[in-house]
Coordinates of all heavy atoms in Angstrom, one line a residue:
M147 N 26.4 12.2 -5.4 CA 26.0 11.5 -6.5 C 27.1 11.4 -7.4 O 27.9 12.1 -7.7 CB 24.8 12.3 -7.1 CG 24.1 11.6 -8.1 SD 22.4 12.0 -8.7 CE 22.0 13.5 -8.1
S148 N 27.2 10.1 -8.1 CA 28.2 9.9 -9.1 C 27.7 9.2 -10.3 O 26.8 8.3 -10.1 CB 29.3 9.2 -8.4 OG 28.9 8.0 -7.9
T149 N 28.0 9.5 -11.4 CA 27.8 8.9 -12.7 C 28.7 7.6 -12.8 O 29.9 7.7 -12.8 CB 27.9 9.7 -13.9 OG1 27.1 10.9 -13.7 CG2 27.5 9.0 -15.2
I150 N 28.0 6.5 -12.9 CA 28.7 5.1 -12.9 C 28.9 4.7 -14.4 O 29.9 4.1 -14.8 CB 28.0 4.1 -12.1 CG1 27.8 4.5 -10.7 CG2 28.7 2.7 -12.1 CD1 29.0 4.9 -9.8
H151 N 27.9 4.9 -15.2 CA 28.0 4.3 -16.5 C 27.1 5.3 -17.5 O 26.1 5.6 -17.1 CB 27.5 2.9 -16.6 CG 27.3 2.3 -18.0 ND1 28.5 1.7 -18.6 CD2 26.3 2.2 -18.8 CE1 28.1 1.4 -19.8 NE2 26.8 1.7 -20.0
V152 N 27.5 5.5 -18.6 CA 26.7 6.2 -19.7 C 27.1 5.6 -21.1 O 28.3 5.5 -21.4 CB 27.2 7.8 -19.7 CG1 26.3 8.4 -20.8 CG2 26.8 8.4 -18.4
D153 N 26.1 5.2 -21.9 CA 26.3 4.9 -23.2 C 25.1 5.3 -24.0 O 24.2 6.1 -23.3 CB 26.5 3.4 -23.4 CG 25.5 2.5 -23.2 OD1 24.4 2.8 -23.1 OD2 25.8 1.3 -22.8
A154 N 24.8 5.0 -25.2 CA 23.8 5.5 -26.0 C 22.3 5.1 -25.6 O 21.4 5.7 -25.7 CB 24.0 4.8 -27.4
S155 N 22.3 4.0 -24.7 CA 21.0 3.6 -24.3 C 20.8 3.5 -22.7 O 19.7 3.3 -22.3 CB 20.6 2.3 -24.9 OG 21.6 1.3 -24.5
T156 N 21.9 3.5 -22.0 CA 21.8 3.4 -20.5 C 22.6 4.4 -19.8 O 23.6 4.8 -20.1 CB 22.4 2.0 -20.2 OG1 21.7 1.0 -20.9 CG2 22.2 1.7 -18.7
V157 N 22.0 4.9 -18.6 CA 22.7 5.8 -17.7 C 22.5 5.2 -16.4 O 21.4 4.7 -16.1 CB 22.1 7.2 -17.7 CG1 22.7 8.1 -16.7 CG2 22.3 7.8 -19.1
R158 N 23.6 5.0 -15.6 CA 23.5 4.5 -14.2 C 24.2 5.6 -13.3 O 25.3 6.0 -13.5 CB 24.2 3.2 -14.1 CG 24.2 2.8 -12.6 CD 24.7 1.4 -12.4 NE 25.0 1.2 -11.0 CZ 25.8 0.5 -10.4 NH1 26.6 -0.2 -11.2 NH2 25.9 0.4 -9.2
I159 N 23.4 6.0 -12.4 CA 23.8 7.0 -11.2 C 23.7 6.4 -9.9 O 22.7 5.6 -9.6 CB 23.0 8.2 -11.4 CG1 23.1 8.8 -12.8 CG2 23.4 9.2 -10.4 CD1 22.1 10.0 -13.0
D160 N 24.6 6.6 -9.1 CA 24.6 6.2 -7.7 C 24.3 7.5 -6.7 O 25.2 8.4 -6.9 CB 25.7 5.4 -7.1 CG 25.8 4.0 -7.7 OD1 24.7 3.6 -8.4 OD2 26.8 3.3 -7.6
A161 N 23.4 7.5 -5.9 CA 23.1 8.6 -5.1 C 23.2 8.1 -3.6 O 22.4 7.1 -3.3 CB 21.8 9.3 -5.3
N162 N 24.0 8.7 -2.8 CA 24.1 8.0 -1.5 C 24.2 9.2 -0.3 O 24.6 10.2 -0.6 CB 25.5 7.2 -1.3 CG 25.5 6.1 -2.3 OD1 24.7 5.2 -2.2 ND2 26.3 6.1 -3.2
M163 N 23.8 8.7 0.8 CA 23.9 9.6 2.1 C 24.8 8.8 3.0 O 24.5 7.6 3.2 CB 22.6 10.0 2.6 CG 21.8 10.8 1.7 SD 20.3 11.4 2.5 CE 19.5 10.1 3.4
H164 N 25.8 9.4 3.7 CA 26.7 8.7 4.5 C 26.6 9.4 5.9 O 26.8 10.6 6.0 CB 28.1 8.8 4.0 CG 29.1 8.2 4.8 ND1 30.4 8.5 4.6 CD2 29.2 7.2 5.7 CE1 31.2 7.8 5.5 NE2 30.3 6.9 6.2
D165 N 26.3 8.6 7.0 CA 26.3 9.0 8.4 C 27.6 8.4 9.0 O 27.6 7.2 9.3 CB 25.0 8.5 9.0 CG 25.0 9.1 10.4 OD1 25.9 9.4 11.1 OD2 23.8 9.3 10.9
V166 N 28.6 9.3 9.1 CA 29.9 8.8 9.8 C 29.7 8.3 11.1 O 30.4 7.3 11.6 CB 30.9 9.9 9.7 CG1 32.1 9.5 10.2 CG2 31.1 10.3 8.3
I167 N 28.8 8.9 12.0 CA 28.6 8.7 13.3 C 28.0 7.2 13.5 O 28.5 6.4 14.4 CB 27.7 9.6 14.0 CG1 28.1 11.0 14.0 CG2 27.4 9.2 15.5 CD1 29.5 11.3 14.7
T168 N 27.1 6.9 12.7 CA 26.3 5.6 12.9 C 27.0 4.6 11.9 O 26.7 3.4 12.0 CB 24.9 5.6 12.6 OG1 24.7 6.1 11.3 CG2 24.3 6.5 13.6
Q169 N 27.9 4.9 11.1 CA 28.6 4.1 10.1 C 27.6 3.5 9.1 O 27.7 2.3 8.9 CB 29.5 2.9 10.8 CG 30.5 3.6 11.6 CD 31.4 2.5 12.4 OE1 31.4 2.7 13.6 NE2 31.7 1.4 11.9
R170 N 26.7 4.3 8.6 CA 25.5 3.8 7.8 C 25.7 4.6 6.5 O 26.1 5.7 6.3 CB 24.3 3.9 8.4 CG 24.2 2.9 9.6 CD 22.7 3.0 10.2 NE 22.6 2.3 11.4 CZ 22.3 1.0 11.4 NH1 22.1 0.3 10.2 NH2 22.2 0.3 12.5
V171 N 25.3 3.8 5.4 CA 25.1 4.4 4.1 C 23.7 4.0 3.5 O 23.3 2.8 3.6 CB 26.2 3.9 3.1 CG1 25.9 4.5 1.7 CG2 27.6 4.3 3.7
W172 N 23.0 5.1 3.1 CA 21.7 4.8 2.5 C 21.9 5.3 1.0 O 22.5 6.4 0.7 CB 20.5 5.5 3.1 CG 20.2 5.2 4.4 CD1 19.4 4.2 4.9 CD2 20.8 5.7 5.6 NE1 19.3 4.1 6.2 CE2 20.2 5.0 6.7 CE3 21.8 6.6 5.9 CZ2 20.6 5.3 8.1 CZ3 22.1 6.8 7.3 CH2 21.5 6.2 8.3
G173 N 21.3 4.6 0.1 CA 21.4 5.2 -1.3 C 20.5 4.5 -2.2 O 19.7 3.6 -2.0
Q174 N 20.6 4.8 -3.5 CA 19.9 4.2 -4.6 C 20.9 4.1 -5.8 O 21.6 5.0 -6.1 CB 18.7 5.1 -5.1 CG 17.7 5.3 -4.2 CD 16.6 4.1 -4.3 OE1 16.8 3.2 -5.1 NE2 15.7 4.1 -3.3
H175 N 20.9 2.8 -6.4 CA 21.5 2.7 -7.7 C 20.2 3.0 -8.7 O 19.2 2.4 -8.7 CB 22.0 1.4 -8.0 CG 23.0 0.8 -7.0 ND1 24.1 1.5 -6.9 CD2 23.1 -0.2 -6.2 CE1 24.9 0.9 -6.1 NE2 24.2 -0.2 -5.7
I176 N 20.4 4.1 -9.5 CA 19.4 4.6 -10.4 C 19.9 4.2 -11.9 O 20.9 4.6 -12.3 CB 19.2 6.1 -10.3 CG1 19.0 6.5 -8.9 CG2 18.1 6.6 -11.3 CD1 19.3 7.9 -8.6
V177 N 19.0 3.4 -12.5 CA 19.3 2.9 -13.8 C 18.2 3.4 -14.8 O 17.0 3.2 -14.6 CB 19.4 1.3 -13.9 CG1 19.7 1.0 -15.3 CG2 20.5 0.9 -13.1
M178 N 18.6 4.2 -15.9 CA 17.7 4.7 -16.9 C 18.2 4.0 -18.2 O 19.3 4.1 -18.6 CB 17.9 6.2 -17.1 CG 17.3 6.8 -15.7 SD 17.7 8.6 -15.7 CE 19.4 8.6 -15.1
R179 N 17.2 3.2 -18.9 CA 17.4 2.5 -20.2 C 16.4 2.9 -21.1 O 15.2 3.1 -20.9 CB 17.4 1.1 -20.0 CG 18.4 0.4 -19.3 CD 18.4 -1.2 -19.3 NE 19.7 -1.7 -18.6 CZ 19.5 -2.2 -17.4 NH1 18.4 -2.2 -16.7 NH2 20.6 -2.7 -16.9
S180 N 16.9 3.2 -22.3 CA 16.0 3.6 -23.3 C 14.9 2.8 -23.5 O 15.1 1.5 -23.6 CB 16.9 3.8 -24.6 OG 16.0 4.2 -25.8
G181 N 13.6 3.3 -23.6 CA 12.5 2.5 -23.8 C 11.9 1.6 -22.6 O 11.1 0.8 -22.6
E182 N 12.6 1.8 -21.4 CA 12.3 1.1 -20.2 C 11.9 2.1 -19.1 O 12.4 3.1 -19.0 CB 13.4 0.2 -19.7 CG 13.6 -1.0 -20.7 CD 14.8 -1.8 -20.1 OE1 15.0 -1.9 -18.9 OE2 15.3 -2.6 -21.0
P183 N 11.1 1.6 -18.0 CA 10.8 2.5 -17.0 C 12.1 2.6 -16.1 O 13.0 1.9 -16.1 CB 9.7 1.7 -16.1 CG 9.6 0.3 -16.7 CD 10.4 0.4 -18.0
L184 N 12.1 3.7 -15.3 CA 13.3 4.0 -14.3 C 13.3 2.9 -13.4 O 12.3 2.4 -12.9 CB 13.0 5.4 -13.7 CG 14.0 5.8 -12.6 CD1 15.2 6.2 -13.3 CD2 13.4 6.9 -11.9
A185 N 14.5 2.4 -13.1 CA 14.7 1.3 -12.2 C 15.5 1.8 -11.0 O 16.6 2.5 -11.1 CB 15.5 0.3 -12.8
L186 N 15.1 1.7 -9.8 CA 15.7 2.1 -8.5 C 16.1 0.7 -7.6 O 15.3 -0.2 -7.6 CB 14.8 2.9 -7.8 CG 14.5 4.3 -8.3 CD1 13.3 4.9 -7.5 CD2 15.6 5.1 -8.7
F187 N 17.4 0.8 -7.4 CA 17.8 -0.4 -6.5 C 18.3 0.2 -5.1 O 19.5 0.8 -5.1 CB 19.0 -1.2 -7.2 CG 18.4 -1.6 -8.5 CD1 18.7 -1.0 -9.8 CD2 17.9 -2.9 -8.6 CE1 18.2 -1.4 -10.9 CE2 17.5 -3.5 -9.8 CZ 17.7 -2.7 -11.0
P188 N 17.5 0.1 -4.1 CA 18.0 0.8 -2.8 C 19.1 0.0 -2.1 O 19.3 -1.1 -2.3 CB 16.7 0.6 -2.0 CG 15.9 -0.5 -2.5 CD 16.3 -0.6 -4.0
V189 N 19.8 0.7 -1.6 CA 21.1 0.2 -0.7 C 21.0 0.8 0.7 O 20.8 2.0 0.8 CB 22.3 0.8 -1.4 CG1 23.6 0.4 -0.5 CG2 22.4 0.2 -2.8
H190 N 21.2 -0.1 1.6 CA 21.1 0.3 3.0 C 22.2 -0.6 3.7 O 22.0 -1.8 3.8 CB 19.8 0.2 3.8 CG 19.9 0.7 5.1 ND1 18.9 0.3 6.1 CD2 20.7 1.5 5.8 CE1 19.2 0.8 7.3 NE2 20.3 1.5 7.1
L191 N 23.2 -0.1 4.3 CA 24.3 -0.8 4.8 C 24.9 -0.1 6.1 O 24.9 1.0 6.2 CB 25.4 -1.2 3.9 CG 26.2 -0.1 3.1 CD1 27.4 0.2 3.9 CD2 26.5 -0.5 1.8
R192 N 25.5 -0.9 7.0 CA 26.2 -0.5 8.1 C 27.6 -1.1 7.9 O 27.7 -2.4 7.7 CB 25.8 -0.9 9.4 CG 26.6 -0.4 10.5 CD 26.3 -0.9 11.9 NE 27.1 -0.3 12.9 CZ 28.3 -0.8 13.2 NH1 28.7 -1.9 12.7 NH2 29.0 -0.3 14.2
Y193 N 28.7 -0.3 7.8 CA 30.0 -0.9 7.8 C 30.6 -1.0 9.1 O 30.3 -0.4 10.0 CB 30.9 0.0 6.7 CG 31.0 1.4 7.0 CD1 32.1 1.8 7.9 CD2 30.1 2.3 6.5 CE1 32.2 3.0 8.2 CE2 30.3 3.8 7.0 CZ 31.3 4.1 7.7 OH 31.4 5.4 8.1
V194 N 31.7 -1.8 9.0 CA 32.5 -2.0 10.3 C 34.0 -1.9 10.0 O 34.3 -2.1 8.8 CB 32.2 -3.4 11.1 CG1 30.7 -3.4 11.5 CG2 32.5 -4.5 10.1
Y195 N 34.7 -1.6 11.0 CA 36.2 -1.5 10.9 C 36.7 -2.8 11.2 O 36.2 -3.6 12.0 CB 36.7 -0.4 11.6 CG 36.4 1.0 11.1 CD1 35.3 1.7 11.8 CD2 36.9 1.5 10.1 CE1 34.9 2.9 11.4 CE2 36.5 2.8 9.7 CZ 35.6 3.5 10.2 OH 35.3 4.7 9.8
P196 N 38.0 -3.1 10.7 CA 38.5 -4.6 11.1 C 38.7 -4.6 12.6 O 38.5 -5.9 13.1 CB 40.1 -4.3 10.5 CG 39.7 -3.5 9.2 CD 38.8 -2.4 9.8
S197 N 38.9 -3.6 13.3 CA 39.0 -3.8 14.9 C 37.7 -4.2 15.5 O 37.7 -5.0 16.4 CB 39.6 -2.4 15.4 OG 38.6 -1.5 15.3
E198 N 36.5 -3.7 14.9 CA 35.3 -4.2 15.4 C 35.0 -5.6 15.1 O 34.5 -6.4 15.8 CB 34.1 -3.3 14.7 CG 34.2 -1.9 15.1 CD 33.1 -1.1 14.5 OE1 33.3 -0.7 13.3 OE2 31.9 -0.9 15.0
L199 N 35.4 -6.0 13.8 CA 35.3 -7.5 13.5 C 36.0 -8.4 14.3 O 35.7 -9.4 14.7 CB 35.6 -7.6 12.0 CG 34.6 -7.0 10.9 CD1 35.2 -7.2 9.5 CD2 33.3 -7.7 11.1
D200 N 37.3 -7.8 14.6 CA 38.2 -8.7 15.4 C 37.6 -8.9 16.9 O 37.7 -10.0 17.4 CB 39.6 -8.0 15.6 CG 40.4 -8.2 14.3 OD1 40.0 -9.0 13.4 OD2 41.5 -7.4 14.2
L201 N 37.1 -7.8 17.4 CA 36.3 -7.8 18.8 C 35.2 -8.9 18.7 O 35.1 -9.7 19.6 CB 35.9 -6.5 19.1 CG 35.2 -6.6 20.5 CD1 35.9 -7.1 21.7 CD2 34.7 -5.0 20.8
M202 N 34.5 -8.8 17.7 CA 33.2 -9.7 17.6 C 33.7 -11.2 17.5 O 33.2 -12.0 18.1 CB 32.3 -9.3 16.3 CG 31.5 -8.0 16.7 SD 30.4 -7.7 15.3 CE 31.4 -6.7 14.2
A203 N 34.8 -11.4 16.7 CA 35.3 -12.7 16.6 C 36.0 -13.2 17.8 O 35.6 -14.4 18.1 CB 36.3 -12.7 15.4
R204 N 36.6 -12.3 18.5 CA 37.3 -12.8 19.8 C 36.2 -13.1 20.8 O 36.2 -14.1 21.5 CB 38.2 -11.6 20.4 CG 39.0 -12.1 21.5 CD 40.0 -11.1 21.9 NE 39.3 -10.1 22.7 CZ 39.4 -8.7 22.5 NH1 40.1 -8.2 21.6 NH2 38.7 -8.0 23.3
L205 N 35.0 -12.3 20.9 CA 34.0 -12.6 21.8 C 33.3 -13.9 21.4 O 32.7 -14.5 22.2 CB 33.0 -11.4 21.7 CG 33.4 -10.1 22.4 CD1 32.4 -9.0 22.1 CD2 33.8 -10.3 23.9
A206 N 33.3 -14.3 20.1 CA 32.7 -15.6 19.7 C 33.8 -16.7 19.8 O 33.4 -17.9 19.4 CB 32.3 -15.3 18.3
G207 N 34.9 -16.4 20.4 CA 36.0 -17.5 20.7 C 36.8 -17.9 19.4 O 37.4 -18.8 19.3
L208 N 36.9 -16.8 18.5 CA 37.7 -17.1 17.3 C 38.9 -16.2 17.3 O 39.1 -15.2 18.1 CB 36.9 -16.6 16.1 CG 35.5 -17.4 15.8 CD1 34.8 -16.8 14.7 CD2 35.7 -18.8 15.6
E209 N 39.9 -16.5 16.4 CA 41.1 -15.6 16.3 C 41.4 -15.6 14.8 O 41.2 -16.4 14.1 CB 42.2 -16.4 17.1 CG 42.7 -17.8 16.7 CD 43.7 -18.4 17.5 OE1 43.8 -18.2 18.8 OE2 44.6 -19.2 17.0
V210 N 42.1 -14.6 14.6 CA 42.5 -14.2 13.2 C 43.6 -15.3 12.8 O 44.7 -15.5 13.4 CB 43.2 -12.8 13.1 CG1 43.6 -12.5 11.7 CG2 42.1 -11.7 13.4
E211 N 43.3 -15.8 11.6 CA 44.2 -16.8 10.9 C 45.0 -16.0 9.9 O 46.1 -16.2 9.7 CB 43.5 -17.9 10.3 CG 44.3 -18.9 9.7 CD 43.5 -20.2 9.2 OE1 42.9 -20.8 10.1 OE2 43.5 -20.3 8.0
A212 N 44.4 -15.1 9.0 CA 45.0 -14.5 7.9 C 44.2 -13.2 7.5 O 43.0 -13.2 7.8 CB 45.2 -15.5 6.7
R213 N 44.8 -12.3 6.9 CA 44.2 -11.2 6.2 C 44.8 -11.0 4.8 O 46.0 -11.0 4.6 CB 44.5 -9.8 7.1 CG 43.6 -9.8 8.3 CD 43.2 -8.4 8.7 NE 42.2 -8.4 9.6 CZ 42.3 -8.4 10.9 NH1 43.4 -8.3 11.4 NH2 41.2 -8.4 11.6
Y214 N 44.0 -10.7 3.9 CA 44.4 -10.4 2.5 C 43.8 -9.2 1.9 O 42.7 -8.7 2.4 CB 43.9 -11.6 1.6 CG 44.5 -12.9 2.1 CD1 43.7 -13.9 2.7 CD2 45.9 -13.2 2.1 CE1 44.2 -15.1 3.3 CE2 46.4 -14.5 2.5 CZ 45.5 -15.4 3.1 OH 46.1 -16.5 3.6
D215 N 44.4 -8.8 0.8 CA 43.9 -7.6 0.1 C 43.0 -8.1 -1.1 O 43.2 -7.9 -2.3 CB 45.1 -6.7 -0.6 CG 44.6 -5.6 -1.3 OD1 43.5 -5.2 -1.3 OD2 45.5 -4.9 -1.9
G216 N 42.1 -8.9 -0.7 CA 41.1 -9.5 -1.7 C 41.1 -11.0 -1.8 O 41.9 -11.7 -1.1
W217 N 40.2 -11.5 -2.6 CA 40.0 -13.0 -2.6 C 41.1 -13.6 -3.3 O 41.3 -15.0 -3.1 CB 38.6 -13.3 -3.4 CG 37.5 -12.7 -2.7 CD1 36.7 -11.7 -3.1 CD2 36.9 -13.3 -1.4 NE1 35.7 -11.5 -2.1 CE2 35.8 -12.4 -1.1 CE3 37.4 -14.2 -0.5 CZ2 35.0 -12.6 0.1 CZ3 36.6 -14.4 0.6 CH2 35.5 -13.6 1.0
D218 N 42.0 -13.0 -3.9 CA 43.1 -13.7 -4.6 C 44.3 -13.8 -3.6 O 45.4 -14.3 -4.0 CB 43.6 -12.9 -5.8 CG 44.2 -11.5 -5.5 OD1 44.0 -11.1 -4.4 OD2 44.6 -10.8 -6.4
R219 N 44.1 -13.4 -2.3 CA 45.0 -13.6 -1.2 C 46.3 -12.8 -1.4 O 47.4 -13.1 -0.9 CB 45.4 -15.0 -1.1 CG 44.3 -15.9 -0.5 CD 44.6 -17.3 -0.3 NE 43.4 -18.0 0.2 CZ 43.4 -19.1 0.8 NH1 44.6 -19.7 1.2 NH2 42.4 -19.6 1.3
A220 N 46.2 -11.6 -2.1 CA 47.2 -10.7 -2.2 C 47.6 -10.1 -0.9 O 46.6 -10.0 0.0 CB 47.0 -9.6 -3.2
P221 N 48.8 -9.7 -0.6 CA 49.1 -9.2 0.8 C 48.6 -7.6 1.0 O 48.3 -7.1 0.0 CB 50.7 -9.1 0.7 CG 51.1 -9.2 -0.7 CD 50.0 -9.9 -1.4
L222 N 48.2 -7.5 2.2 CA 47.8 -6.1 2.5 C 48.8 -5.1 2.3 O 50.1 -5.3 2.6 CB 47.2 -6.0 4.0 CG 46.1 -6.9 4.4 CD1 45.9 -6.8 5.9 CD2 44.8 -6.4 3.7
T223 N 48.4 -3.9 1.9 CA 49.4 -2.8 1.7 C 48.7 -1.5 2.3 O 47.5 -1.6 2.7 CB 49.7 -2.5 0.2 OG1 48.5 -2.0 -0.4 CG2 50.2 -3.8 -0.5
S224 N 49.4 -0.5 2.3 CA 48.8 0.8 2.9 C 47.7 1.4 2.0 O 47.0 2.2 2.4 CB 50.0 1.9 3.1 OG 50.6 2.1 1.8
S225 N 47.7 0.8 0.8 CA 46.7 1.5 -0.2 C 45.5 0.4 -0.3 O 44.6 0.5 -1.2 CB 47.3 1.7 -1.5 OG 47.7 0.4 -2.2
T226 N 45.4 -0.7 0.6 CA 44.3 -1.6 0.5 C 43.0 -0.9 0.7 O 42.8 -0.1 1.6 CB 44.6 -2.6 1.6 OG1 45.8 -3.3 1.3 CG2 43.4 -3.6 1.7
A227 N 42.1 -1.2 -0.3 CA 40.8 -0.5 -0.2 C 39.7 -1.5 0.4 O 38.7 -1.1 0.9 CB 40.3 -0.2 -1.6
S228 N 39.9 -2.8 0.3 CA 39.1 -3.8 0.9 C 39.9 -4.9 1.4 O 41.1 -5.0 1.2 CB 38.2 -4.3 -0.1 OG 38.7 -5.0 -1.1
M229 N 39.3 -5.7 2.5 CA 40.2 -6.6 3.1 C 39.3 -7.9 3.2 O 38.1 -7.8 3.5 CB 40.4 -6.0 4.5 CG 41.3 -7.0 5.4 SD 41.5 -6.4 7.0 CE 42.0 -4.7 6.8
V230 N 40.0 -9.0 3.2 CA 39.4 -10.2 3.4 C 40.1 -10.9 4.6 O 41.3 -11.0 4.6 CB 39.5 -11.4 2.2 CG1 39.1 -12.6 2.6 CG2 38.8 -10.8 1.0
S231 N 39.4 -11.1 5.8 CA 39.9 -11.7 7.0 C 39.3 -13.1 7.1 O 38.2 -13.4 6.9 CB 39.4 -10.9 8.2 OG 40.0 -9.5 8.1
I232 N 40.3 -14.0 7.7 CA 39.8 -15.3 8.1 C 40.0 -15.5 9.5 O 41.2 -15.3 9.9 CB 40.7 -16.4 7.1 CG1 40.4 -16.1 5.8 CG2 40.3 -17.8 7.6 CD1 41.3 -16.9 4.8
W233 N 39.0 -16.0 10.1 CA 39.1 -16.3 11.7 C 38.9 -17.7 11.8 O 38.3 -18.4 10.9 CB 38.0 -15.6 12.4 CG 38.1 -14.1 12.4 CD1 39.0 -13.4 13.3 CD2 37.7 -13.1 11.6 NE1 39.0 -11.9 13.0 CE2 38.1 -11.8 12.1 CE3 36.8 -13.1 10.6 CZ2 37.6 -10.7 11.5 CZ3 36.4 -12.0 9.9 CH2 36.9 -10.7 10.3
R234 N 39.5 -18.3 12.8 CA 39.3 -19.8 13.1 C 39.1 -19.9 14.5 O 39.4 -19.2 15.3 CB 40.5 -20.6 12.5 CG 41.8 -20.3 13.3 CD 42.9 -21.2 12.9 NE 44.1 -20.9 13.5 CZ 44.5 -21.3 14.7 NH1 43.8 -22.3 15.3 NH2 45.6 -21.0 15.2
K235 N 38.5 -21.1 14.9 CA 38.3 -21.5 16.3 C 39.5 -22.3 16.6 O 40.0 -23.3 16.0 CB 37.0 -22.4 16.3 CG 36.7 -22.6 17.8 CD 35.4 -23.3 17.9 CE 35.0 -23.3 19.4 NZ 33.6 -23.3 19.7
P236 N 40.2 -21.8 17.7 CA 41.4 -22.5 18.2 C 41.0 -23.9 18.6 O 40.0 -24.1 19.1 CB 41.9 -21.7 19.4 CG 41.2 -20.4 19.3 CD 39.9 -20.6 18.5
V237 N 42.0 -24.9 18.4 CA 41.8 -26.2 18.8 C 42.1 -26.3 20.4 O 43.1 -25.7 20.8 CB 42.8 -27.1 18.0 CG1 42.7 -28.5 18.5 CG2 42.6 -27.0 16.6
A238 N 41.2 -26.8 20.9 CA 41.2 -26.9 22.5 C 42.1 -27.9 22.9 O 42.5 -28.9 22.4 CB 39.7 -27.1 23.1

């Protein structure tokens, strides 16, 4: 659980469970606002690694065109936390 935001009228907490084996995350974004009912925003996702995406793309007949460290097309580095990959269908 982690506190995301706190001010005089709002508290936001994220509570998550992570299953490394199935690569799944379940959680809730919990928002408490002064004078409002508790708000829960469920999260359920399965993440994939770049090698898995590359395999799925290859099986679909695609090839990697480019990879970036975000939507601004910055180059990848060893500290990249997220990645944008572009695949294309080869011209026959």
Side-chain angles (χ1 to χ4, degrees):
M147 189 159 13
S148 57
T149 303
I150 304 303
H151 175 85
V152 176
D153 66 25
S155 62
T156 305
V157 174
R158 179 173 164 213
I159 299 170
D160 285 353
N162 299 299
M163 294 188 317
H164 179 202
D165 184 336
V166 178
I167 302 298
T168 62
Q169 295 171 232
R170 293 187 183 272
V171 177
W172 295 268
Q174 290 278 354
H175 298 303
I176 305 160
V177 179
M178 295 170 273
R179 287 192 180 98
S180 180
E182 295 182 20
L184 180 71
L186 300 175
F187 301 92
V189 175
H190 181 202
L191 60 92
R192 181 192 181 272
Y193 58 88
V194 295
Y195 292 101
S197 58
E198 292 176 277
L199 290 173
D200 287 344
L201 175 59
M202 288 186 271
R204 193 174 77 231
L205 293 172
L208 304 174
E209 60 187 30
V210 174
E211 181 175 300
R213 284 212 165 91
Y214 302 108
D215 182 7
W217 295 110
D218 62 354
R219 297 185 176 200
L222 293 174
T223 67
S224 61
S225 62
T226 294
S228 62
M229 182 187 313
V230 174
S231 296
I232 299 171
W233 292 274
R234 67 176 175 86
K235 186 167 185 157
V237 178

